[in-house]
């Protein structure tokens, strides 16, 4: 068994009386791409916010690279990168300014920050627009910048919260390839998405959450096998079978 | 070291965003310039031959009325006896002529006592002084309002004393309890009181508060007008940037910052530093333009003026950060900034010379940091005070800054958790 890089133990978080995350436990191996799936309101983003130390957990704990998110948040922050579900960009600044700024916040010096910014912009196919103002970018370009910023500082663990929402198939494919490239370089990735074929294609294992709890966790192949021939059923079938057809939120 | 770098980069980033916003740049840098140009126009006549402020008074009462006693007591007989900064009081005899003079722009304004002034006071029905001033001349209007306020509060006090003395006399059987006798008694006491005032060298009924009197001659109005607007603009502009932190929260970049190894305090520190940098740019512009274009005199201790200005910037930036942590939305941050910016400025003596405010208003105004700043500048630049006398004002501004800063840190800790 490979080394476990992220270990989550019984995380809980309530907003007022509402239990958004209700006892979540799982672990991710080093170098793995792990899919966190679930209908709207399942608690995926809340889980990621706790793991990235932005939101305090009510109870439970997690360790990332051996550091506890509760007791050693500072050390955790140094080795993670976050691509939030909501675009988190300074619209009035250029793409490059955004990247360099967050690079410096991640502890890079000026030269390192500029060099990494250019590399990551190239990775996202945006090197030509480096000096363009983000406000003038298309939705897909903003998404790619949002992801590129998460790579600044070369984090060991990447949280990608729906990085491909609202972008065209070309950009999406571009992003898949990049993510696979990052994995090759040894990055560990926690990935959430509502595109089931995306999870099937990228993730070594997926967990499906509903109502703040993980209801199943396995490789896409095994999950599909549970309900039929893995060649014929899709992850979408698995998802709907497990989470039901009623609307959420 | 790392924290200081974070603070610095956050401040630079905010400055960079600020420079991309043309409207904001205009508000911070162009607007004060515009204001100053406007002043040179408004104050054009004031600074010419005699720089001393003149306050004119007129009465509509027949001779023998109390208003004659009051004006007589206040009228400046010998100009050389006036202290620096004290206005010259002038008794105009003809109401209509004075009115025409204001309308023609020859006179800035005057205070008129109504025809029934004495009678109204006797019967306790209340009366009103009329302030008639050129609508455009803010300074004259402010000074006249201050004077009218001072007169009425003084008369109010005397009225209470007289009424209670007369009541005692009636009770003690000294005078009979009929209306005619009481009126006669009141009239007599009042006349005596005011006559005593007129005979005395100083007009004791209307006192103007002058904080400290040095060796300064009649002053250039820019010496109190420019600091007033400096205080208002630095504070207002800083308060408006409270939106920065709220915007940071709303566009989710705050969340992103919280997931990096930047400390919470550094984020606040960055917003504070960015705001303070802008404030410093503002005060440099204000003083340079004030000195070059308006001949502003920084007084005996320019160092004290500079320190006071810097403390003003620090206090305003701390206030901005506090506001940012208190406001939930960008809109509420904006309106809170506007309300506090516009409400505290006139109360704190930014629009009208603070030293002309009646005492009670000066006391109330001390709850605003503005009042400490403007009265400090007035001491230094109008009344010729030295460094040491501005120290209390400096300490007060530091105190405000510390309180605002503490609230901000406390709020930010509890709301970000
Ligand atoms: N700050 C908050 N205050 C109150 N309720 C919240 C807060 N954040 C999340 N919730 C609630 O917690 C539940 C889980 O939200 P979360 O964003 O984690 O879901 P999600 O799985 O990411 O959904 P989606 O797929 O729509 O992004 C939702 O019902 C949401 O309304
Ligand atoms: Mg979500």
């Amino acid at each position: 068994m490979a080394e476990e890089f992220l270990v989550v133990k019984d995380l809980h978080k309530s907003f007022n009386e509402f239990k958004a995350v209700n006892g979540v436990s799982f672990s991710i191996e080093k170098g793995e791409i792990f899919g966190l799936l679930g209908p709207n309101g399942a608690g995926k983003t809340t889980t990621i916010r706790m793991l990235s130390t932005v939101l305090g957990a009510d109870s439970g704990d997690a360790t990332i690279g051996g550091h506890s998110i509760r007791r050693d948040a500072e050390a955790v922050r140094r080795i993670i990168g976050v691509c939030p579900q909501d675009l988190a960009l300074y619209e009035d600044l250029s793409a490059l300014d955004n990247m360099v700024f967050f690079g410096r916040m991640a502890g890079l010096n000026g030269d390192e920050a500029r060099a990494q910014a250019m590399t990551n912009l190239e990775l996202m196919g945006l090197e030509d627009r480096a000096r363009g103002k983000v406000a003038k970018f298309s939705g897909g370009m903003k998404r790619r910048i949002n992801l590129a910023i998460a790579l600044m500082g070369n984090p060991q663990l990447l949280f990608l919260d729906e990085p491909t929402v609202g972008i065209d198939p070309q950009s999406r494919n571009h992003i898949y390839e990049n993510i696979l490239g990052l994995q090759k370089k040894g990055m560990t990735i926690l990935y959430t998405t509502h595109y089931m074929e995306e999870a099937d294609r990228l993730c070594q294992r997926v967990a499906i959450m509903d109502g703040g709890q993980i209801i199943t966790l396995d490789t896409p192949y095994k999950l599909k096998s549970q309900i039929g021939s893995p060649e014929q059923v899709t992850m979408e079938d698995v998802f709907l079978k497990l989470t039901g057809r009623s609307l959420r939120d | 070291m790392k924290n200081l770098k974070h603070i610095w980069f956050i401040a630079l980033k905010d400055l960079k965003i600020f420079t991309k916003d043309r409207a904001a740049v205009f508000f911070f840098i162009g607007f004060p310039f515009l204001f100053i140009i406007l002043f040179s126009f408004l104050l054009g006549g004031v600074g010419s031959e005699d720089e001393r402020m003149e306050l004119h008074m007129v009465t509509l009462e027949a001779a023998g009325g109390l208003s004659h006693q009051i004006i007589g007591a206040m009228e400046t007989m010998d100009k050389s006896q006036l202290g620096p900064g004290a206005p010259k009081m002038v008794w105009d005899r003809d109401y209509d002529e004075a009115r025409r003079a204001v309308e023609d722009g020859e006179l800035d304004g005057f205070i008129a006592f109504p025809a029934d002034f004495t009678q109204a006071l006797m019967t306790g029905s209340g009366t009103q002084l009329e302030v008639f001033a050129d609508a455009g001349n803010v300074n004259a209007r402010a000074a006249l309002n201050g004077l009218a306020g001072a007169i009425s509060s003084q008369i109010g006090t005397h009225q209470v004393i007289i009424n209670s003395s007369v009541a005692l006399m009636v009770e003690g059987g000294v005078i009979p309890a009929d209306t005619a006798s009481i009126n006669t008694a009141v009239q007599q006491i009042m006349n005596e009181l005011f006559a005593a005032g007129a005979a005395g060298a100083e007009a004791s009924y209307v006192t103007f508060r002058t904080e400290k009197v040095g060796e300064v001659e009649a002053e250039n109005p820019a010496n109190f007008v420019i600091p007033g607007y400096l205080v208002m603009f630095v504070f207002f502009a800083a308060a408006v940037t409270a939106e920065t932190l709220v915007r940071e929260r709303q566009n989710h970049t705050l969340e992103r910052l919280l997931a990096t190894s930047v400390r919470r305090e550094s984020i606040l520190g960055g917003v504070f530093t960015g705001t303070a940098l802008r404030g410093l740019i503002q005060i440099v512009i204000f003083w340079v333009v004030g000195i070059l274009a308006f001949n502003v005199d920084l007084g005996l201790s320019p160092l004290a003026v500079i320190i006071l200005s810097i403390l003003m910037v620090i206090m305003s930036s701390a206030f901005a950060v506090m506001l940012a942590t208190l406001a939930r939305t960008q809109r509420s941050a904006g309106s809170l900034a506007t309300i506090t910016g516009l409400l505290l400025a006139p109360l704190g003596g930014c629009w009208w010379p603070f030293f002309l405010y009646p005492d009670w208003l000066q006391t109330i105004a001390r709850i605003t940091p503005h009042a400490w700043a403007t009265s400090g500048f007035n001491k230094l630049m109008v009344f010729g005070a030295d460094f040491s006398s501005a120290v209390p004002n400096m300490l007060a501004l530091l105190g405000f800054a510390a309180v605002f800063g503490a609230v901000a840190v406390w709020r930010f800790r509890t709301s970000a958790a």
Side-chain angles (χ1 to χ4, degrees):
Chain A
M1 174 129 188
E3 179 195 346
E4 286 179 336
F5 193 69
L6 177 143
V7 182
V8 184
K9 280 187 224 118
D10 201 25
L11 273 188
H12 285 262
K13 182 75 195 181
S14 298
F15 296 108
N16 302 320
E17 293 301 290
F18 177 76
K19 293 188 168 111
V21 172
N22 192 11
V24 163
S25 305
F26 62 93
S27 51
I28 305 182
E29 290 170 11
K30 189 151 183 59
E32 184 181 24
I33 302 180
F34 184 92
L36 193 57
L37 311 181
N40 292 136
K44 306 180 295 292
T45 298
T46 307
T47 304
I48 290 182
R49 292 182 71 211
M50 286 189 283
L51 294 178
S52 56
T53 75
V54 169
L55 187 70
D58 292 344
S59 66
D61 197 359
T63 56
I64 298 176
H67 307 288
S68 155
I69 57 167
R70 298 182 81 112
R71 287 185 310 277
D72 203 1
E74 186 81 23
V76 169
R77 291 182 192 129
R78 276 199 288 271
I79 56 172
I80 61 169
V82 186
C83 170
Q85 177 172 1
D86 301 297
L87 291 172
L89 305 165
Y90 297 106
E91 297 255 334
D92 295 322
L93 297 182
S94 69
L96 188 63
D97 283 343
N98 269 281
M99 309 270 297
V100 170
F101 173 72
F102 284 109
R104 305 218 70 162
M105 293 298 114
L108 302 178
N109 70 32
D111 292 339
E112 290 167 345
R114 271 183 296 276
Q116 274 199 22
M118 284 317 290
T119 312
N120 290 329
L121 281 168
E122 248 166 74
L123 209 60
M124 295 296 151
L126 286 168
E127 66 274 23
D128 299 342
R129 304 296 295 268
R131 289 179 198 283
K133 202 169 159 178
V134 169
K136 302 224 168 84
F137 285 9
S138 73
M141 288 161 74
K142 288 183 188 171
R143 277 284 152 200
R144 282 184 275 160
I145 296 287
N146 200 40
L147 175 54
I149 292 174
L151 304 178
M152 295 300 292
N154 282 325
Q156 300 178 39
L157 173 69
L158 207 50
F159 294 104
L160 304 181
D161 198 351
E162 301 191 33
T164 56
V165 71
I167 64 177
D168 61 27
Q170 286 85 352
S171 293
R172 199 174 316 151
N173 265 299
H174 192 95
I175 288 181
Y176 293 163
E177 276 153 29
N178 280 323
I179 291 172
L180 290 171
L182 294 170
Q183 183 185 28
K184 282 211 185 73
K185 282 196 262 170
M187 228 178 249
T188 308
I189 295 167
L190 191 156
Y191 196 94
T192 82
T193 181
H194 288 294
Y195 301 106
M196 292 304 135
E197 76 286 359
E198 201 171 287
D200 199 352
R201 180 173 159 188
L202 281 176
C203 302
Q204 280 76 66
R205 289 186 304 149
V206 300
I208 295 179
M209 272 186 91
D210 199 5
Q213 292 178 313
I214 291 183
I215 50 175
T216 188
L217 191 166
D218 216 327
T219 63
Y221 187 86
K222 284 203 181 133
L223 288 177
K224 286 186 285 185
S225 311
Q226 282 174 9
I227 61 162
S229 155
E231 274 71 44
Q232 267 141 37
V233 298
T234 62
M235 272 302 288
E236 184 129 350
D237 298 328
V238 176
F239 187 84
L240 288 174
K241 177 134 197 212
L242 287 171
T243 58
R245 290 185 175 268
S246 64
L247 293 178
R248 306 305 156 95
D249 271 2
Chain B
M1 195 52 211
K2 191 184 99 197
N3 294 329
L4 285 182
K5 270 194 182 155
H6 285 156
I7 290 175
W8 183 242
F9 291 129
I10 292 172
L12 283 187
K13 180 262 300 166
D14 282 346
L15 266 186
K16 202 160 191 172
I17 292 177
F18 162 72
T19 58
K20 312 259 165 174
D21 183 350
R22 298 244 172 84
V25 172
F26 174 75
F27 183 73
F28 276 86
I29 293 162
F31 203 53
F33 265 119
L34 254 180
F35 242 80
I36 288 168
I37 292 165
L38 193 71
F39 282 139
S40 63
F41 181 70
L42 284 178
L43 299 175
V46 183
S48 51
E49 317 154 352
D50 187 355
E51 290 175 332
R52 190 180 290 286
M53 185 175 271
E54 278 191 6
L55 296 175
H56 289 244
M57 293 162 295
V58 178
T59 178
L60 291 166
E61 266 196 310
L66 272 175
S67 58
H68 286 257
Q69 312 276 356
I70 296 174
I71 301 178
M74 287 196 301
E75 192 181 12
T76 305
M77 296 302 182
D78 182 1
K79 232 178 81 177
S80 63
Q81 296 288 308
L82 284 177
K88 181 182 166 200
M89 305 290 190
V90 181
W91 188 350
D92 285 339
R93 303 291 153 167
D94 186 357
Y95 178 81
D96 292 321
E97 205 174 284
R99 236 187 125 108
R100 258 195 309 280
V102 174
E103 276 157 8
D104 296 345
E106 284 157 23
L107 183 62
D108 291 331
F110 60 86
I111 292 177
F113 290 78
D116 63 349
F117 183 72
T118 308
Q119 200 193 345
L121 279 185
M122 296 304 162
T123 56
S125 62
T127 180
Q128 228 175 6
L129 300 178
E130 179 192 8
V131 173
F132 192 84
D134 176 5
N137 194 329
V138 179
N139 297 316
R141 225 171 49 211
L144 289 168
N145 280 332
L147 177 61
I151 293 174
S152 49
S153 69
Q154 290 289 329
I155 289 174
T157 330
H158 285 115
Q159 189 73 29
V160 174
I161 297 170
I162 293 167
N163 285 351
S164 38
S165 333
V166 171
L168 276 176
M169 289 195 272
V170 172
E171 220 161 273
V174 181
I175 51 173
D178 61 275
T179 329
S181 321
I182 291 175
N183 273 350
T184 321
V186 170
Q187 175 99 47
Q188 204 177 337
I189 297 174
M190 274 210 171
N191 278 339
E192 275 164 20
L193 268 174
F194 284 109
E202 297 290 321
S204 53
Y205 296 99
V206 182
T207 48
F208 282 90
R209 189 184 166 95
T210 44
E211 303 231 300
K212 178 164 188 237
V213 179
E215 296 301 301
V216 177
E217 281 301 297
E219 80 281 353
N220 171 2
N223 285 344
F224 56 80
V225 173
I226 289 188
Y229 282 94
L230 173 134
V231 169
M232 168 176 164
F233 271 101
V234 167
F235 186 85
F236 192 21
V240 169
T241 61
E243 289 182 60
T244 313
L245 196 59
V246 182
R247 206 183 315 132
E248 195 99 44
R249 182 156 48 216
Q250 281 183 338
N251 66 19
H252 309 288
T253 46
L254 181 60
E255 176 124 357
R256 189 156 225 160
L257 280 175
L258 292 176
T260 65
S261 49
V262 178
R263 291 185 50 177
R264 266 63 173 163
E265 288 78 7
S266 303
I267 298 175
L268 280 190
V271 175
F272 172 85
T273 308
T275 312
L277 283 177
R278 266 168 300 193
L280 290 177
I281 295 170
Q282 279 185 301
I283 59 171
V284 168
I285 291 173
F286 254 92
W287 288 132
V288 168
V289 173
I291 291 168
L292 296 183
F294 293 90
N295 211 10
V296 160
D297 176 8
L298 298 187
L300 294 179
S301 176
L303 179 67
V305 173
I306 291 168
I307 291 178
L308 207 55
S309 309
I310 292 174
L311 287 172
M312 181 64 211
V313 167
I314 290 175
M315 182 280 297
S316 304
S317 309
F319 180 81
V321 176
M322 178 184 77
L323 209 58
T325 58
L326 293 175
R328 287 256 142 243
T329 64
Q330 215 169 322
R331 185 191 301 225
S332 69
S335 4
L336 276 173
T338 310
I339 291 170
T340 50
L342 291 182
L343 217 63
L344 300 184
L347 181 59
C350 297
W351 295 1
W352 305 296
F354 188 66
F355 49 86
L356 288 186
Y357 283 20
D359 278 358
W360 60 269
L361 191 54
Q362 290 200 18
T363 310
I364 295 176
R366 297 267 171 210
I367 59 165
T368 69
H370 297 57
W372 290 94
T374 53
S375 61
F377 285 124
N378 287 342
K379 279 185 204 173
L380 295 165
M381 297 172 59
V382 178
F383 301 120
D386 57 8
F387 189 99
S388 63
S389 54
V391 168
N393 302 66
M394 294 174 185
L395 292 178
L397 288 181
L398 259 184
F400 276 107
V403 171
F404 296 153
V407 173
V409 170
W410 165 73
R411 271 290 301 186
F412 193 65
R413 282 223 180 104
T414 51
S415 65

